[in-house]
PDB file of all heavy atoms in Angstrom:
ATOM      1  N   MET A1469     -20.314   8.253 -10.987  1.00  0.00           N
ATOM      2  CA  MET A1469     -20.735   7.056 -10.272  1.00  0.00           C
ATOM      3  C   MET A1469     -19.527   6.226  -9.839  1.00  0.00           C
ATOM      4  O   MET A1469     -19.423   5.801  -8.686  1.00  0.00           O
ATOM      5  CB  MET A1469     -21.650   6.215 -11.159  1.00  0.00           C
ATOM      6  CG  MET A1469     -21.942   4.833 -10.586  1.00  0.00           C
ATOM      7  SD  MET A1469     -22.864   3.769 -11.726  1.00  0.00           S
ATOM      8  CE  MET A1469     -22.622   2.167 -10.930  1.00  0.00           C
ATOM      9  N   ASP A1470     -18.603   6.004 -10.783  1.00  0.00           N
ATOM     10  CA  ASP A1470     -17.418   5.200 -10.468  1.00  0.00           C
ATOM     11  C   ASP A1470     -16.586   5.845  -9.364  1.00  0.00           C
ATOM     12  O   ASP A1470     -16.073   5.155  -8.471  1.00  0.00           O
ATOM     13  CB  ASP A1470     -16.566   5.014 -11.723  1.00  0.00           C
ATOM     14  CG  ASP A1470     -17.248   4.148 -12.775  1.00  0.00           C
ATOM     15  OD1 ASP A1470     -18.191   3.409 -12.415  1.00  0.00           O
ATOM     16  OD2 ASP A1470     -16.855   4.230 -13.952  1.00  0.00           O
ATOM     17  N   ALA A1471     -16.481   7.178  -9.402  1.00  0.00           N
ATOM     18  CA  ALA A1471     -15.706   7.882  -8.382  1.00  0.00           C
ATOM     19  C   ALA A1471     -16.366   7.751  -7.016  1.00  0.00           C
ATOM     20  O   ALA A1471     -15.692   7.526  -5.999  1.00  0.00           O
ATOM     21  CB  ALA A1471     -15.567   9.356  -8.756  1.00  0.00           C
ATOM     22  N   ALA A1472     -17.701   7.870  -6.982  1.00  0.00           N
ATOM     23  CA  ALA A1472     -18.423   7.746  -5.714  1.00  0.00           C
ATOM     24  C   ALA A1472     -18.277   6.346  -5.139  1.00  0.00           C
ATOM     25  O   ALA A1472     -18.024   6.176  -3.931  1.00  0.00           O
ATOM     26  CB  ALA A1472     -19.899   8.088  -5.912  1.00  0.00           C
ATOM     27  N   MET A1473     -18.414   5.339  -5.974  1.00  0.00           N
ATOM     28  CA  MET A1473     -18.295   3.960  -5.492  1.00  0.00           C
ATOM     29  C   MET A1473     -16.883   3.662  -4.988  1.00  0.00           C
ATOM     30  O   MET A1473     -16.699   2.908  -4.033  1.00  0.00           O
ATOM     31  CB  MET A1473     -18.687   2.976  -6.601  1.00  0.00           C
ATOM     32  CG  MET A1473     -20.157   3.029  -6.988  1.00  0.00           C
ATOM     33  SD  MET A1473     -21.273   2.665  -5.607  1.00  0.00           S
ATOM     34  CE  MET A1473     -20.923   0.916  -5.351  1.00  0.00           C
ATOM     35  N   ALA A1474     -15.883   4.278  -5.629  1.00  0.00           N
ATOM     36  CA  ALA A1474     -14.497   4.072  -5.194  1.00  0.00           C
ATOM     37  C   ALA A1474     -14.218   4.700  -3.836  1.00  0.00           C
ATOM     38  O   ALA A1474     -13.270   4.299  -3.149  1.00  0.00           O
ATOM     39  CB  ALA A1474     -13.540   4.645  -6.240  1.00  0.00           C
ATOM     40  N   ARG A1475     -15.037   5.670  -3.452  1.00  0.00           N
ATOM     41  CA  ARG A1475     -14.852   6.333  -2.158  1.00  0.00           C
ATOM     42  C   ARG A1475     -15.473   5.548  -1.005  1.00  0.00           C
ATOM     43  O   ARG A1475     -15.311   5.918   0.150  1.00  0.00           O
ATOM     44  CB  ARG A1475     -15.467   7.740  -2.183  1.00  0.00           C
ATOM     45  CG  ARG A1475     -14.812   8.703  -3.157  1.00  0.00           C
ATOM     46  CD  ARG A1475     -15.397  10.109  -3.015  1.00  0.00           C
ATOM     47  NE  ARG A1475     -14.954  10.954  -4.117  1.00  0.00           N
ATOM     48  CZ  ARG A1475     -15.734  11.397  -5.104  1.00  0.00           C
ATOM     49  NH1 ARG A1475     -17.025  11.110  -5.099  1.00  0.00           N
ATOM     50  NH2 ARG A1475     -15.244  12.137  -6.074  1.00  0.00           N
ATOM     51  N   ILE A1476     -16.186   4.465  -1.328  1.00  0.00           N
ATOM     52  CA  ILE A1476     -16.881   3.682  -0.296  1.00  0.00           C
ATOM     53  C   ILE A1476     -16.172   2.355  -0.069  1.00  0.00           C
ATOM     54  O   ILE A1476     -15.945   1.589  -1.004  1.00  0.00           O
ATOM     55  CB  ILE A1476     -18.338   3.400  -0.708  1.00  0.00           C
ATOM     56  CG1 ILE A1476     -19.096   4.696  -0.987  1.00  0.00           C
ATOM     57  CG2 ILE A1476     -19.061   2.604   0.395  1.00  0.00           C
ATOM     58  CD1 ILE A1476     -20.472   4.477  -1.611  1.00  0.00           C
ATOM     59  N   THR A1477     -15.821   2.107   1.174  1.00  0.00           N
ATOM     60  CA  THR A1477     -15.362   0.782   1.578  1.00  0.00           C
ATOM     61  C   THR A1477     -16.365   0.228   2.582  1.00  0.00           C
ATOM     62  O   THR A1477     -17.237   0.946   3.069  1.00  0.00           O
ATOM     63  CB  THR A1477     -13.955   0.837   2.204  1.00  0.00           C
ATOM     64  OG1 THR A1477     -13.975   1.748   3.323  1.00  0.00           O
ATOM     65  CG2 THR A1477     -12.923   1.300   1.202  1.00  0.00           C
ATOM     66  N   THR A1478     -16.265  -1.059   2.869  1.00  0.00           N
ATOM     67  CA  THR A1478     -17.209  -1.692   3.793  1.00  0.00           C
ATOM     68  C   THR A1478     -16.459  -2.457   4.868  1.00  0.00           C
ATOM     69  O   THR A1478     -15.275  -2.757   4.730  1.00  0.00           O
ATOM     70  CB  THR A1478     -18.153  -2.653   3.047  1.00  0.00           C
ATOM     71  OG1 THR A1478     -17.372  -3.698   2.435  1.00  0.00           O
ATOM     72  CG2 THR A1478     -18.945  -1.922   1.979  1.00  0.00           C
ATOM     73  N   GLY A1479     -17.175  -2.763   5.932  1.00  0.00           N
ATOM     74  CA  GLY A1479     -16.580  -3.529   7.010  1.00  0.00           C
ATOM     75  C   GLY A1479     -17.541  -3.691   8.171  1.00  0.00           C
ATOM     76  O   GLY A1479     -18.707  -3.294   8.091  1.00  0.00           O
ATOM     77  N   THR A1480     -17.035  -4.272   9.240  1.00  0.00           N
ATOM     78  CA  THR A1480     -17.824  -4.363  10.467  1.00  0.00           C
ATOM     79  C   THR A1480     -17.577  -3.099  11.290  1.00  0.00           C
ATOM     80  O   THR A1480     -16.747  -2.258  10.938  1.00  0.00           O
ATOM     81  CB  THR A1480     -17.447  -5.617  11.268  1.00  0.00           C
ATOM     82  OG1 THR A1480     -16.025  -5.678  11.424  1.00  0.00           O
ATOM     83  CG2 THR A1480     -17.922  -6.877  10.554  1.00  0.00           C
ATOM     84  N   ASN A1481     -18.293  -2.966  12.399  1.00  0.00           N
ATOM     85  CA  ASN A1481     -18.331  -1.696  13.111  1.00  0.00           C
ATOM     86  C   ASN A1481     -16.966  -1.181  13.580  1.00  0.00           C
ATOM     87  O   ASN A1481     -16.762   0.025  13.692  1.00  0.00           O
ATOM     88  CB  ASN A1481     -19.283  -1.798  14.307  1.00  0.00           C
ATOM     89  CG  ASN A1481     -20.734  -1.935  13.870  1.00  0.00           C
ATOM     90  OD1 ASN A1481     -21.067  -1.732  12.712  1.00  0.00           O
ATOM     91  ND2 ASN A1481     -21.613  -2.277  14.802  1.00  0.00           N
ATOM     92  N   ASP A1482     -16.027  -2.083  13.835  1.00  0.00           N
ATOM     93  CA  ASP A1482     -14.710  -1.624  14.298  1.00  0.00           C
ATOM     94  C   ASP A1482     -13.878  -0.990  13.191  1.00  0.00           C
ATOM     95  O   ASP A1482     -12.805  -0.425  13.447  1.00  0.00           O
ATOM     96  CB  ASP A1482     -13.926  -2.768  14.951  1.00  0.00           C
ATOM     97  CG  ASP A1482     -13.762  -3.977  14.041  1.00  0.00           C
ATOM     98  OD1 ASP A1482     -14.259  -3.947  12.896  1.00  0.00           O
ATOM     99  OD2 ASP A1482     -13.137  -4.959  14.484  1.00  0.00           O
ATOM    100  N   ALA A1483     -14.381  -1.012  11.956  1.00  0.00           N
ATOM    101  CA  ALA A1483     -13.654  -0.409  10.833  1.00  0.00           C
ATOM    102  C   ALA A1483     -13.708   1.116  10.858  1.00  0.00           C
ATOM    103  O   ALA A1483     -13.057   1.772  10.047  1.00  0.00           O
ATOM    104  CB  ALA A1483     -14.210  -0.921   9.504  1.00  0.00           C
ATOM    105  N   VAL A1484     -14.453   1.697  11.795  1.00  0.00           N
ATOM    106  CA  VAL A1484     -14.559   3.160  11.880  1.00  0.00           C
ATOM    107  C   VAL A1484     -13.468   3.758  12.765  1.00  0.00           C
ATOM    108  O   VAL A1484     -13.488   4.960  13.044  1.00  0.00           O
ATOM    109  CB  VAL A1484     -15.942   3.602  12.411  1.00  0.00           C
ATOM    110  CG1 VAL A1484     -17.054   3.071  11.529  1.00  0.00           C
ATOM    111  CG2 VAL A1484     -16.152   3.150  13.860  1.00  0.00           C
ATOM    112  N   ALA A1485     -12.503   2.952  13.180  1.00  0.00           N
ATOM    113  CA  ALA A1485     -11.500   3.389  14.164  1.00  0.00           C
ATOM    114  C   ALA A1485     -10.784   4.674  13.773  1.00  0.00           C
ATOM    115  O   ALA A1485     -10.486   5.507  14.636  1.00  0.00           O
ATOM    116  CB  ALA A1485     -10.484   2.269  14.396  1.00  0.00           C
ATOM    117  N   ASP A1486     -10.502   4.869  12.495  1.00  0.00           N
ATOM    118  CA  ASP A1486      -9.727   6.046  12.077  1.00  0.00           C
ATOM    119  C   ASP A1486     -10.588   7.105  11.400  1.00  0.00           C
ATOM    120  O   ASP A1486     -10.076   7.973  10.685  1.00  0.00           O
ATOM    121  CB  ASP A1486      -8.589   5.628  11.141  1.00  0.00           C
ATOM    122  CG  ASP A1486      -9.086   4.986   9.855  1.00  0.00           C
ATOM    123  OD1 ASP A1486     -10.257   4.538   9.826  1.00  0.00           O
ATOM    124  OD2 ASP A1486      -8.314   4.935   8.889  1.00  0.00           O
ATOM    125  N   CYS A1487     -11.899   7.064  11.634  1.00  0.00           N
ATOM    126  CA  CYS A1487     -12.799   8.027  10.992  1.00  0.00           C
ATOM    127  C   CYS A1487     -12.801   9.363  11.731  1.00  0.00           C
ATOM    128  O   CYS A1487     -12.572   9.429  12.943  1.00  0.00           O
ATOM    129  CB  CYS A1487     -14.220   7.473  10.939  1.00  0.00           C
ATOM    130  SG  CYS A1487     -14.422   6.130   9.740  1.00  0.00           S
ATOM    131  N   ASP A1488     -13.080  10.430  10.987  1.00  0.00           N
ATOM    132  CA  ASP A1488     -13.196  11.765  11.579  1.00  0.00           C
ATOM    133  C   ASP A1488     -14.589  12.002  12.151  1.00  0.00           C
ATOM    134  O   ASP A1488     -14.756  12.730  13.129  1.00  0.00           O
ATOM    135  CB  ASP A1488     -12.898  12.829  10.517  1.00  0.00           C
ATOM    136  CG  ASP A1488     -11.515  12.657   9.923  1.00  0.00           C
ATOM    137  OD1 ASP A1488     -10.536  12.814  10.672  1.00  0.00           O
ATOM    138  OD2 ASP A1488     -11.415  12.335   8.721  1.00  0.00           O
ATOM    139  N   LEU A1489     -15.586  11.405  11.524  1.00  0.00           N
ATOM    140  CA  LEU A1489     -16.973  11.510  11.965  1.00  0.00           C
ATOM    141  C   LEU A1489     -17.624  10.148  11.833  1.00  0.00           C
ATOM    142  O   LEU A1489     -17.472   9.471  10.819  1.00  0.00           O
ATOM    143  CB  LEU A1489     -17.745  12.520  11.091  1.00  0.00           C
ATOM    144  CG  LEU A1489     -19.273  12.526  11.217  1.00  0.00           C
ATOM    145  CD1 LEU A1489     -19.707  13.111  12.562  1.00  0.00           C
ATOM    146  CD2 LEU A1489     -19.919  13.308  10.069  1.00  0.00           C
ATOM    147  N   VAL A1490     -18.354   9.749  12.866  1.00  0.00           N
ATOM    148  CA  VAL A1490     -19.156   8.529  12.807  1.00  0.00           C
ATOM    149  C   VAL A1490     -20.619   8.928  12.873  1.00  0.00           C
ATOM    150  O   VAL A1490     -21.032   9.676  13.765  1.00  0.00           O
ATOM    151  CB  VAL A1490     -18.831   7.561  13.963  1.00  0.00           C
ATOM    152  CG1 VAL A1490     -19.801   6.383  13.959  1.00  0.00           C
ATOM    153  CG2 VAL A1490     -17.398   7.054  13.855  1.00  0.00           C
ATOM    154  N   VAL A1491     -21.401   8.438  11.908  1.00  0.00           N
ATOM    155  CA  VAL A1491     -22.847   8.651  11.912  1.00  0.00           C
ATOM    156  C   VAL A1491     -23.496   7.315  12.238  1.00  0.00           C
ATOM    157  O   VAL A1491     -23.406   6.370  11.456  1.00  0.00           O
ATOM    158  CB  VAL A1491     -23.360   9.164  10.555  1.00  0.00           C
ATOM    159  CG1 VAL A1491     -24.864   9.437  10.637  1.00  0.00           C
ATOM    160  CG2 VAL A1491     -22.617  10.410  10.113  1.00  0.00           C
ATOM    161  N   GLU A1492     -24.124   7.238  13.390  1.00  0.00           N
ATOM    162  CA  GLU A1492     -24.806   6.005  13.807  1.00  0.00           C
ATOM    163  C   GLU A1492     -26.196   5.977  13.195  1.00  0.00           C
ATOM    164  O   GLU A1492     -26.970   6.912  13.371  1.00  0.00           O
ATOM    165  CB  GLU A1492     -24.846   5.950  15.344  1.00  0.00           C
ATOM    166  CG  GLU A1492     -25.679   4.827  15.904  1.00  0.00           C
ATOM    167  CD  GLU A1492     -27.148   5.213  16.042  1.00  0.00           C
ATOM    168  OE1 GLU A1492     -27.442   6.319  16.522  1.00  0.00           O
ATOM    169  OE2 GLU A1492     -27.989   4.401  15.627  1.00  0.00           O
ATOM    170  N   ALA A1493     -26.497   4.910  12.459  1.00  0.00           N
ATOM    171  CA  ALA A1493     -27.804   4.760  11.817  1.00  0.00           C
ATOM    172  C   ALA A1493     -28.345   3.360  12.072  1.00  0.00           C
ATOM    173  O   ALA A1493     -28.865   2.697  11.171  1.00  0.00           O
ATOM    174  CB  ALA A1493     -27.699   5.038  10.315  1.00  0.00           C
ATOM    175  N   ALA A1494     -28.205   2.916  13.322  1.00  0.00           N
ATOM    176  CA  ALA A1494     -28.686   1.589  13.712  1.00  0.00           C
ATOM    177  C   ALA A1494     -30.174   1.648  14.029  1.00  0.00           C
ATOM    178  O   ALA A1494     -30.827   2.679  13.867  1.00  0.00           O
ATOM    179  CB  ALA A1494     -27.890   1.091  14.916  1.00  0.00           C
ATOM    180  N   LEU A1495     -30.716   0.541  14.496  1.00  0.00           N
ATOM    181  CA  LEU A1495     -32.136   0.469  14.822  1.00  0.00           C
ATOM    182  C   LEU A1495     -32.505   1.505  15.879  1.00  0.00           C
ATOM    183  O   LEU A1495     -31.680   1.889  16.707  1.00  0.00           O
ATOM    184  CB  LEU A1495     -32.482  -0.936  15.332  1.00  0.00           C
ATOM    185  CG  LEU A1495     -32.329  -2.083  14.321  1.00  0.00           C
ATOM    186  CD1 LEU A1495     -32.581  -3.417  15.009  1.00  0.00           C
ATOM    187  CD2 LEU A1495     -33.275  -1.905  13.142  1.00  0.00           C
ATOM    188  N   GLU A1496     -33.767   1.935  15.853  1.00  0.00           N
ATOM    189  CA  GLU A1496     -34.244   2.986  16.755  1.00  0.00           C
ATOM    190  C   GLU A1496     -34.528   2.391  18.139  1.00  0.00           C
ATOM    191  O   GLU A1496     -35.676   2.230  18.563  1.00  0.00           O
ATOM    192  CB  GLU A1496     -35.493   3.645  16.156  1.00  0.00           C
ATOM    193  CG  GLU A1496     -35.884   4.944  16.796  1.00  0.00           C
ATOM    194  CD  GLU A1496     -34.970   6.114  16.450  1.00  0.00           C
ATOM    195  OE1 GLU A1496     -33.878   5.905  15.876  1.00  0.00           O
ATOM    196  OE2 GLU A1496     -35.353   7.244  16.755  1.00  0.00           O
ATOM    197  N   ASP A1497     -33.433   2.070  18.838  1.00  0.00           N
ATOM    198  CA  ASP A1497     -33.518   1.440  20.149  1.00  0.00           C
ATOM    199  C   ASP A1497     -32.476   2.090  21.060  1.00  0.00           C
ATOM    200  O   ASP A1497     -31.277   2.024  20.776  1.00  0.00           O
ATOM    201  CB  ASP A1497     -33.251  -0.067  20.011  1.00  0.00           C
ATOM    202  CG  ASP A1497     -33.315  -0.805  21.320  1.00  0.00           C
ATOM    203  OD1 ASP A1497     -32.335  -0.717  22.100  1.00  0.00           O
ATOM    204  OD2 ASP A1497     -34.328  -1.477  21.580  1.00  0.00           O
ATOM    205  N   MET A1498     -32.926   2.714  22.136  1.00  0.00           N
ATOM    206  CA  MET A1498     -32.028   3.482  22.988  1.00  0.00           C
ATOM    207  C   MET A1498     -30.890   2.639  23.555  1.00  0.00           C
ATOM    208  O   MET A1498     -29.728   3.041  23.517  1.00  0.00           O
ATOM    209  CB  MET A1498     -32.830   4.143  24.122  1.00  0.00           C
ATOM    210  CG  MET A1498     -31.975   4.931  25.111  1.00  0.00           C
ATOM    211  SD  MET A1498     -31.133   6.370  24.359  1.00  0.00           S
ATOM    212  CE  MET A1498     -32.453   7.585  24.390  1.00  0.00           C
ATOM    213  N   GLU A1499     -31.205   1.475  24.107  1.00  0.00           N
ATOM    214  CA  GLU A1499     -30.172   0.660  24.740  1.00  0.00           C
ATOM    215  C   GLU A1499     -29.160   0.156  23.718  1.00  0.00           C
ATOM    216  O   GLU A1499     -27.961   0.108  24.000  1.00  0.00           O
ATOM    217  CB  GLU A1499     -30.808  -0.508  25.507  1.00  0.00           C
ATOM    218  CG  GLU A1499     -31.617  -0.079  26.712  1.00  0.00           C
ATOM    219  CD  GLU A1499     -30.818   0.837  27.653  1.00  0.00           C
ATOM    220  OE1 GLU A1499     -29.667   0.515  27.970  1.00  0.00           O
ATOM    221  OE2 GLU A1499     -31.354   1.889  28.047  1.00  0.00           O
ATOM    222  N   LEU A1500     -29.629  -0.215  22.539  1.00  0.00           N
ATOM    223  CA  LEU A1500     -28.718  -0.652  21.478  1.00  0.00           C
ATOM    224  C   LEU A1500     -27.762   0.479  21.105  1.00  0.00           C
ATOM    225  O   LEU A1500     -26.553   0.276  20.963  1.00  0.00           O
ATOM    226  CB  LEU A1500     -29.515  -1.107  20.265  1.00  0.00           C
ATOM    227  CG  LEU A1500     -28.747  -1.672  19.072  1.00  0.00           C
ATOM    228  CD1 LEU A1500     -29.594  -2.695  18.336  1.00  0.00           C
ATOM    229  CD2 LEU A1500     -28.314  -0.578  18.096  1.00  0.00           C
ATOM    230  N   LYS A1501     -28.302   1.684  20.943  1.00  0.00           N
ATOM    231  CA  LYS A1501     -27.466   2.823  20.558  1.00  0.00           C
ATOM    232  C   LYS A1501     -26.469   3.169  21.659  1.00  0.00           C
ATOM    233  O   LYS A1501     -25.306   3.494  21.374  1.00  0.00           O
ATOM    234  CB  LYS A1501     -28.352   4.030  20.219  1.00  0.00           C
ATOM    235  CG  LYS A1501     -29.167   3.873  18.935  1.00  0.00           C
ATOM    236  CD  LYS A1501     -30.059   5.075  18.684  1.00  0.00           C
ATOM    237  CE  LYS A1501     -30.981   4.882  17.493  1.00  0.00           C
ATOM    238  NZ  LYS A1501     -30.285   4.836  16.208  1.00  0.00           N
ATOM    239  N   LYS A1502     -26.889   3.111  22.912  1.00  0.00           N
ATOM    240  CA  LYS A1502     -25.973   3.387  24.020  1.00  0.00           C
ATOM    241  C   LYS A1502     -24.805   2.405  24.024  1.00  0.00           C
ATOM    242  O   LYS A1502     -23.644   2.798  24.187  1.00  0.00           O
ATOM    243  CB  LYS A1502     -26.724   3.298  25.353  1.00  0.00           C
ATOM    244  CG  LYS A1502     -27.597   4.484  25.686  1.00  0.00           C
ATOM    245  CD  LYS A1502     -28.250   4.242  27.052  1.00  0.00           C
ATOM    246  CE  LYS A1502     -29.029   5.426  27.523  1.00  0.00           C
ATOM    247  NZ  LYS A1502     -29.683   5.164  28.833  1.00  0.00           N
ATOM    248  N   ARG A1503     -25.125   1.126  23.849  1.00  0.00           N
ATOM    249  CA  ARG A1503     -24.058   0.112  23.809  1.00  0.00           C
ATOM    250  C   ARG A1503     -23.115   0.371  22.654  1.00  0.00           C
ATOM    251  O   ARG A1503     -21.887   0.232  22.786  1.00  0.00           O
ATOM    252  CB  ARG A1503     -24.669  -1.293  23.682  1.00  0.00           C
ATOM    253  CG  ARG A1503     -25.329  -1.818  24.922  1.00  0.00           C
ATOM    254  CD  ARG A1503     -25.528  -3.326  24.840  1.00  0.00           C
ATOM    255  NE  ARG A1503     -26.273  -3.730  23.653  1.00  0.00           N
ATOM    256  CZ  ARG A1503     -27.603  -3.802  23.603  1.00  0.00           C
ATOM    257  NH1 ARG A1503     -28.337  -3.489  24.665  1.00  0.00           N
ATOM    258  NH2 ARG A1503     -28.193  -4.200  22.495  1.00  0.00           N
ATOM    259  N   LEU A1504     -23.678   0.735  21.526  1.00  0.00           N
ATOM    260  CA  LEU A1504     -22.870   0.994  20.341  1.00  0.00           C
ATOM    261  C   LEU A1504     -21.889   2.137  20.587  1.00  0.00           C
ATOM    262  O   LEU A1504     -20.692   2.025  20.280  1.00  0.00           O
ATOM    263  CB  LEU A1504     -23.784   1.314  19.163  1.00  0.00           C
ATOM    264  CG  LEU A1504     -23.133   1.531  17.803  1.00  0.00           C
ATOM    265  CD1 LEU A1504     -22.262   0.355  17.424  1.00  0.00           C
ATOM    266  CD2 LEU A1504     -24.208   1.751  16.748  1.00  0.00           C
ATOM    267  N   PHE A1505     -22.370   3.246  21.166  1.00  0.00           N
ATOM    268  CA  PHE A1505     -21.480   4.377  21.429  1.00  0.00           C
ATOM    269  C   PHE A1505     -20.438   4.046  22.502  1.00  0.00           C
ATOM    270  O   PHE A1505     -19.292   4.500  22.402  1.00  0.00           O
ATOM    271  CB  PHE A1505     -22.290   5.612  21.821  1.00  0.00           C
ATOM    272  CG  PHE A1505     -22.893   6.336  20.641  1.00  0.00           C
ATOM    273  CD1 PHE A1505     -24.267   6.473  20.520  1.00  0.00           C
ATOM    274  CD2 PHE A1505     -22.082   6.863  19.651  1.00  0.00           C
ATOM    275  CE1 PHE A1505     -24.828   7.136  19.429  1.00  0.00           C
ATOM    276  CE2 PHE A1505     -22.631   7.522  18.548  1.00  0.00           C
ATOM    277  CZ  PHE A1505     -24.003   7.649  18.446  1.00  0.00           C
ATOM    278  N   ARG A1506     -20.807   3.251  23.497  1.00  0.00           N
ATOM    279  CA  ARG A1506     -19.815   2.832  24.492  1.00  0.00           C
ATOM    280  C   ARG A1506     -18.710   2.009  23.834  1.00  0.00           C
ATOM    281  O   ARG A1506     -17.521   2.162  24.153  1.00  0.00           O
ATOM    282  CB  ARG A1506     -20.485   2.033  25.615  1.00  0.00           C
ATOM    283  CG  ARG A1506     -21.303   2.878  26.576  1.00  0.00           C
ATOM    284  CD  ARG A1506     -21.616   2.123  27.857  1.00  0.00           C
ATOM    285  NE  ARG A1506     -22.443   0.961  27.634  1.00  0.00           N
ATOM    286  CZ  ARG A1506     -23.776   0.944  27.715  1.00  0.00           C
ATOM    287  NH1 ARG A1506     -24.425   2.064  28.019  1.00  0.00           N
ATOM    288  NH2 ARG A1506     -24.456  -0.170  27.495  1.00  0.00           N
ATOM    289  N   ASP A1507     -19.101   1.138  22.895  1.00  0.00           N
ATOM    290  CA  ASP A1507     -18.101   0.341  22.177  1.00  0.00           C
ATOM    291  C   ASP A1507     -17.240   1.229  21.271  1.00  0.00           C
ATOM    292  O   ASP A1507     -16.021   1.037  21.178  1.00  0.00           O
ATOM    293  CB  ASP A1507     -18.789  -0.732  21.329  1.00  0.00           C
ATOM    294  CG  ASP A1507     -19.452  -1.816  22.169  1.00  0.00           C
ATOM    295  OD1 ASP A1507     -19.101  -1.935  23.370  1.00  0.00           O
ATOM    296  OD2 ASP A1507     -20.322  -2.534  21.640  1.00  0.00           O
TER     297      ASP A1507
END
């Protein structure tokens, strides 16, 4: 449990800048998701 929690950090959406994979799990709204991916 401690190891798993240590692997998790938090932030706002721009914190994914250096990620290898981004999984979008926002609200089920097409326009919202499109804007998110454009950003």
Side-chain angles (χ1 to χ4, degrees):
M1469 170 187 165
D1470 292 341
M1473 293 300 291
R1475 296 186 191 110
I1476 303 171
T1477 57
T1478 61
T1480 50
N1481 292 348
D1482 56 0
V1484 302
D1486 62 341
C1487 288
D1488 302 295
L1489 167 71
V1490 173
V1491 183
E1492 172 273 315
L1495 295 175
E1496 194 73 348
D1497 180 283
M1498 178 64 82
E1499 293 308 313
L1500 183 150
K1501 291 178 186 292
K1502 283 181 174 179
R1503 287 197 305 272
L1504 184 54
F1505 280 119
R1506 286 196 296 267
D1507 291 342

